[in-house]
Amino acid sequence: MHTHTAMSPSVPLQEMIRAIRSARTQCEERGVIQRECAAIRAQFRQADNGGRSHNLAKLLYVHMLGYPAHFGQMECVRMIASPRYSEKRVGYLGAMMLLDEKQDASLLITNSIKNDLSHSNQYVQSLALCTLACMGSAEMCRDLAPEIDRLLRASNSYIKKKAALCAVHIVRKVHELGELFVPAARSLLSEKNHGVLHGAVVLIIELCEQNPETLERFRKTVPDLVQIMKGLVLSGYSPEHDVAGISDPFLQVRILRLLRILGRNNEGASDSMNDLLAQVATNTDSTKTVGNAVLYETVLTVLDIKSESGLRVLAVNILGRFLLNNDRNIRYIAMTSLQKIVGTDHNAVQRHRGTIVDCLKDQDASVKRRALELSLALVSASNIRSMMKELLLFLSSCPPELRAHAASGIFNAAERYAPSQRWHIDTMLHVLITAGGDVRDETVPNLIQLITNASELHCYTVHKLYRALLLDISQQSLVQVACWCIGEYGDLLLKGDCQETEPVQVTEDDALDALETVLQSHMSSPATRGFALTATMKLSTRITDNVDRIRSIVSIYGSCIDVELQQRAVEYNALFRKYDHMRAAVLERMPVIEKNSPGHTNGESTGEAVKDVPTAKMKQGEPLLLQQPANQVCDLLDLLGGSEETLQPGPAVDCLVSGLSVHAAGTAGGDLLDLLGGFEPAELSPAPQVLAYDKGGVTLTLSCEKQSDTGLTVTLTASNSSDSDLSSFTLQAAVPKSVQLHMKAPSGDSLPARGTAKVTQMVVLNNPNKVNLKMRVRVSYTRQGSPFQDTVQIDSFPGLDAAGQ
Amino acid sequence: MIRFMLMVNRQGQTRLSRYYQPVELSRRAQLEADVVRCCLSRRKDQCSFVDYKDFKLVYRQYAALYVVVGVTDNENELSVYELLHNFVEVLDKYFSRIMFNLDRVHIILDEMIQNGHVVETNKSRVLAPLTALDKMADG
């Protein structure tokens, strides 16, 4: 099996490489390498035999393949000290690859490096420089820094350029030494040799990044840098530095980066570069990648410094052109850059929206991801319909790893800019149908809440969901919402007529069949089955003929293995048997669910009827919420036999009335709620706050306190969550004729941004005739120099019942 | 700055590796395997820049050889892309076919990239010391 004899010591590197490559298995390769290493080790122990550099080279190759080679470290040290160049060369290479400053052996080469730095042969000097730059420890750097500085000034360009980069390493290791190199770096800028210039620019960048004071000093070099750039851009063809028609693009890119660092946050420096940047942007040939590389760096610089707006627009247009480029690399980086500026230069980026949206269809996954993020950032109220079409199209064909992100982005956009409720519901349904498996958990309660709010769309929604359910019951979130709606609005489903969609006859059996299919299917998760069971139960009050069928379904599940389902079934069974007189009330249509806070699922929205009536603590409401129809609440009260006066529903204003309904339900339905257990009737907190007004970031909340039989103190609190300060903020109030009003002095008249301080004002009311209390409040303020006024009517006051008593 | 440079063939075997930011030996194999897998699995119509962990990969394919470079986030990817091409052109100029002599390649690499930054991009200047060395070796 082992056909190789011991290798002779002078076998060249190529032989060994060939031998290793011809090994057919990992095991065979390891065998070859072990033999080689043994031979090399033996060779190292022998005296100098002229083949040492070969052996070390072989060892380095073995090391590169991942095998241990630490026994070669001392050999490196020895070779570095050798007078022969070939041996020095391999020795230094070995040092760079095998040694780092943690190894003890690295200390031993310090002396060699020191000597070689002043060697007569420049190639030896360069070896030492290279190695020092690669693995020099802080000690070595401190020791040799003056030497490097000397080399920076007094040697030929070959050495200077290497010394410059060595200085970069030194400065990184020992920050304080930066000071030492500043003068040398400065003078290097007047060199003609591009290699040296390049090194100098890199060194200056490093110095500026380390120390802001140094950066200040180097700002004075901006004119010099501009000159150099001009020379590069405008000079004719120079064979030495030409790369595809551009003169030394690498140096250009480097200088542009330094200009960026110097111009950041500094008006003066930015001004002096303006012309140059415009020149580079317009004169650079963009047909080849090289040119585009320079243009890209220019764009990055323009966007980072304090450039004038014309230049910024030019930069964004270049990015726009990149988006149309055939080369996908260029499209990708254009997207990345646009992503960074979409916040600050939003309008400029909007102009390229069409191209960005087209990139959603690109083949490359990275480009698609960028396009998705950009598209979501560009959605606004004016383009929401067309953008959503594109986004939904994208969702149906997008790669699976982007689905969740796309779905949540679409939901956010829909929530912020939905032009109508029907559109909003349609969009959410579409997403659930396409990508239901990838949406977040709170989507289901959010959608349900949305649906309950759109009362005139209940019929349309339930029909649509029913149809979707018939087609496909695998998407859990969709199925859950559909079951909930069928349960809740089953009567509308069965009625059959609906203006929005074509009428379809749905019989009671059909609806129950659909729900039963969900209950029995393997694909339904336990939560979904819970939804379906509750929906079935709710239908018992909405249908007339098939109540027995429901009774039997419910009793079957009374012995279900799933504990949650079993518990529900047992409870519902009890509802049928012992509490049948309560059944209609318990399963009555739910009132509108209020959104307490983003992400809050508002208890279990699985239809546990009255248990879900929200608490009285009011939080910020959504502007899209409709005025809650008060008639629903009245039905509830009637059923419970309450003797409350009927509520006066006020005109639709930005005012939440639900606090009141909860209060009413709480007192009258006490026994019912006790029966179901666990629900606290809403207690009147001493001074409940109601949100009276919310527009443009300005919110107004009020709380009331009864002082006497007819007297009342209302406290108005205003705060400003927008990004601009408001001044001359005043409130005026008007009340019905017989009510007396006295406004106390406000706490202040300015509302700083982002809610850092509030303004409060007390209003004392006296209502001797005990009329229905209403108050109209006018809000006026000045925002950024322009005055603004608005009026809001308050019809109900927390802490009082409807009659204002 | 450039963190590392690799040349790998289609089978994933490393032909050349150079690290400008120290990486432990044990982790190198893992890193190289990961990176190579990433690049080899990309199709023709995908772009040459990949976001990998906290840095970027820029790669180019030349026949059966892939040249892969890992760069830090603030680097201009197009510029690095061009640099790779420049490097391969220099190699091409010196050797009749690539990878004939590994330590020579290292010398060329050192002439072009030092410490993770570009030193020299002019082909003749890069090769000048090498031709001088060759003369010295003969003499």
Side-chain angles (χ1 to χ4, degrees), chain A residues 14 21 61 64 85 89 96 123 158 161-162 165 172 240 293 296-297 328-329 332 364 370, chain B residues 15 18 44-48 51 76 78 100 102 107 111 115 117-120 122 125 129 133:
Chain A
Q14 309 309 114
R21 285 195 202 176
Y61 184 81
M64 185 186 80
Y85 179 78
R89 165 75 212 146
M96 278 192 271
Y123 299 118
Y158 180 72
K161 72 185 181 203
K162 300 209 175 204
L165 284 167
R172 280 211 196 117
E240 269 196 9
Y296 179 48
E297 194 72 33
R328 83 199 81 81
N329 292 334
Y332 174 81
D364 184 293
R370 291 276 188 270
Chain B
R15 292 281 171 245
R18 195 58 190 274
K44 271 275 180 286
D45 52 4
Q46 284 178 300
C47 79
S48 309
D51 283 318
N76 181 335
L78 283 180
F100 190 65
L102 186 55
I107 295 179
E111 287 297 315
N115 204 8
H117 294 282
V118 173
V119 169
E120 182 67 64
N122 181 313
R125 292 225 191 106
L133 272 172

Side-chain angles (χ1 to χ4, degrees), chain A residues 44 56 59 69-80 91 94-95 98-100 103-106 108-109:
Chain A
F44 283 167
L56 190 53
L59 186 60
H70 44 270
F71 57 86
Q73 286 174 4
M74 284 315 292
E75 191 65 14
C76 290
V77 176
R78 239 173 283 147
M79 308 254 308
I80 287 175
L98 297 178
L99 293 176
D100 55 46
Q103 314 285 356
D104 296 327
S106 63
L108 299 171
I109 63 174

Side-chain angles (χ1 to χ4, degrees), chain A residues 13-14 17 21 29 57 60-61 63-69 85 89-90 93 96-97 100 102 121 123 126 129-130 133-134 158 161-163 165-166 168-170 172 193-196 198-199 202 206 209 239-244 248-250 253-254 257 260 289-290 292-294 296-297 300 322 327-333 336 362-367 370, chain B residues 1-2 7 9 13-26 28-29 32 42-51 56 59-60 73-87 89 97 99-108 110-126 128-133 136-137:
Chain A
L13 175 61
Q14 309 309 114
I17 294 180
R21 285 195 202 176
E29 178 182 293
L60 291 178
Y61 184 81
H63 167 83
M64 185 186 80
L65 290 179
Y67 294 93
Y85 179 78
R89 165 75 212 146
V90 181
L93 181 62
M96 278 192 271
M97 294 181 75
D100 55 46
K102 296 194 212 87
N121 183 331
Y123 299 118
S126 87
L129 278 171
C130 200
C134 177
Y158 180 72
K161 72 185 181 203
K162 300 209 175 204
L165 284 167
C166 192
V168 171
H169 175 84
I170 292 178
R172 280 211 196 117
N193 179 303
H194 281 207
V196 179
H198 195 117
V202 175
E206 188 66 34
E209 277 176 354
E240 269 196 9
H241 304 117
D242 183 87
V243 180
D248 207 340
F250 301 101
V253 163
R254 207 50 86 157
R257 178 135 356 125
R260 179 152 90 233
T289 317
V290 217
N292 285 329
V294 176
Y296 179 48
E297 194 72 33
L300 289 177
F322 276 2
D327 187 340
R328 83 199 81 81
N329 292 334
I330 295 181
R331 286 205 298 275
Y332 174 81
I333 55 165
T336 319
D362 198 297
Q363 296 288 350
D364 184 293
S366 343
V367 173
R370 291 276 188 270
Chain B
M1 66 173 274
I2 298 175
M7 283 173 94
N9 68 2
Q13 295 171 317
T14 312
R15 292 281 171 245
L16 172 83
S17 79
R18 195 58 190 274
Y19 286 84
Y20 295 102
Q21 226 176 33
V23 173
E24 274 163 59
L25 255 186
S26 49
R28 276 190 202 186
E32 282 168 30
R42 305 226 353 139
R43 296 191 311 269
K44 271 275 180 286
D45 52 4
Q46 284 178 300
C47 79
S48 309
F49 314 130
V50 186
D51 283 318
K56 290 193 267 225
Y59 71 92
R60 271 190 104 131
D73 255 338
N74 54 359
E75 200 62 46
N76 181 335
E77 298 97 321
L78 283 180
S79 179
V80 176
Y81 192 69
E82 283 304 306
L83 180 69
L84 289 182
H85 192 65
N86 201 348
F87 175 60
E89 280 183 340
R97 54 189 175 91
M99 285 317 303
F100 190 65
N101 205 324
L102 186 55
D103 46 350
R104 286 284 195 269
V105 177
H106 271 288
I107 295 179
I108 292 178
D110 277 337
E111 287 297 315
M112 290 186 72
I113 301 178
Q114 182 179 315
N115 204 8
H117 294 282
V118 173
V119 169
E120 182 67 64
T121 54
N122 181 313
K123 291 195 204 42
S124 16
R125 292 225 191 106
V126 168
L130 209 59
T131 32
L133 272 172
M136 272 199 322

Side-chain angles (χ1 to χ4, degrees), chain A residues 702-715 739-742 762-767 773 775 796-800 804-805:
Chain A
L702 63 88
S703 64
C704 312
E705 218 177 326
K706 271 190 86 141
Q707 306 294 3
S708 67
D709 200 24
T710 59
L712 173 72
T713 314
V714 176
T715 310
V739 179
Q740 288 149 12
L741 168 91
H742 174 63
M762 290 225 291
V763 181
V764 180
L765 298 172
N766 195 16
N767 186 3
L773 193 59
M775 186 160 83
S796 59
F797 294 78
L800 308 178
Q805 307 303 322

